[in-house]
Amino acid sequence: KKLNILNKTVSDEYSKGKINNEQYTNLKNEISVIYEEVFRKEIDSSKGSLDEDINTRLNKITEDVKDAYSKNKINNEHFISLKNEISIAYYNIFKKRIESLDSLFETVAEREAVIGMIKEDISETCSKDQLTKLHYDLLNEKVSKTIKENNGGNRIH
């Protein structure tokens, strides 16, 4: 809240001509750095959440980051960096889900149904711009590899 007040004050003082362009740019960059640190801490703290809670927290963080960017609270560089951090967090969630498939199911049909849901979740997350193209491609490759390994080995009956 205090950071939002500081950001507004800097903008107001600039618009009144009390600070010059160079000072304004430097202050806005420093404020952006602080916002980035705050959001990174939120992302890091969400990683310890329960599985069902982490998606909710990451969705909120994503919306907050987009909002901050749209209101010129964070610069483009910090915005891209934060989006990548969020994508990494989602990548790790999906990776764990994929890797846990072998131990969860007794039949191929059960496993394939869950794989289908995971693929849908991955696509939905990417469509919300919460997963980078790189992480999306890596996860799809991992899903395909998991399916091939299962079909080739027939480990589940």
Side-chain angles (χ1 to χ4, degrees), residues 17-68:
K18 294 185 178 182
I19 57 175
N20 65 34
N21 191 41
E22 183 181 347
Q23 293 167 323
Y24 174 75
T25 301
N26 289 338
L27 288 169
K28 290 296 281 186
N29 191 51
E30 287 180 36
I31 291 169
S32 181
V33 168
I34 297 167
Y35 272 113
E36 182 185 27
E37 289 173 6
V38 168
F39 286 126
R40 275 191 195 286
K41 287 178 183 176
E42 287 184 36
I43 294 166
D44 289 343
S45 72
S46 73
K47 292 176 185 174
S49 302
L50 299 172
D51 284 344
E52 56 275 355
D53 189 41
I54 191 168
N55 284 326
T56 304
R57 290 187 70 178
L58 285 174
N59 279 332
K60 173 137 178 40
I61 294 167
T62 300
E63 291 307 311
D64 290 346
V65 167
K66 287 179 181 179
D67 184 59

Side-chain angles (χ1 to χ4, degrees), residues 59-86:
N59 279 332
K60 173 137 178 40
I61 294 167
T62 300
E63 291 307 311
D64 290 346
V65 167
K66 287 179 181 179
D67 184 59
Y69 180 67
S70 71
K71 292 179 178 174
N72 201 26
K73 294 177 181 179
I74 58 174
N75 65 31
N76 192 55
E77 177 186 339
H78 296 143
F79 177 66
I80 291 169
S81 176
L82 288 166
K83 282 180 57 175
N84 192 52
E85 286 297 315
I86 292 167

Side-chain angles (χ1 to χ4, degrees), residues 12 31 95 98 108-109 117 122 132 135 139 144 147 157:
D12 290 346
I31 291 169
K95 184 178 168 199
I98 295 164
V108 171
M117 287 189 295
I122 291 169
T132 64
H135 292 132
L139 288 167
S144 295
I147 292 169
H157 302 286

Side-chain angles (χ1 to χ4, degrees), residues 75-155:
N75 65 31
N76 192 55
E77 177 186 339
H78 296 143
F79 177 66
I80 291 169
S81 176
L82 288 166
K83 282 180 57 175
N84 192 52
E85 286 297 315
I86 292 167
S87 182
I88 290 168
Y90 274 111
Y91 172 81
N92 288 328
I93 292 168
F94 287 120
K95 184 178 168 199
K96 285 178 190 175
R97 285 177 63 188
I98 295 164
E99 290 171 350
S100 70
L101 288 172
D102 290 337
S103 61
L104 295 177
F105 306 101
E106 294 185 23
T107 68
V108 171
E110 290 174 334
R111 188 170 192 268
E112 286 177 354
V114 172
I115 288 173
M117 287 189 295
I118 291 171
K119 287 174 75 172
E120 284 179 28
D121 290 347
I122 291 169
S123 293
E124 182 180 330
T125 303
C126 186
S127 71
K128 291 180 180 177
D129 203 23
Q130 295 171 316
L131 197 60
T132 64
K133 176 85 169 102
L134 171 64
H135 292 132
Y136 175 79
D137 290 343
L138 289 171
L139 288 167
N140 279 322
E141 183 179 315
K142 189 159 190 62
V143 168
S144 295
K145 184 178 176 184
T146 300
I147 292 169
K148 285 179 189 175
E149 286 174 357
N150 182 58
N151 290 341
N154 288 324
R155 292 182 288 171

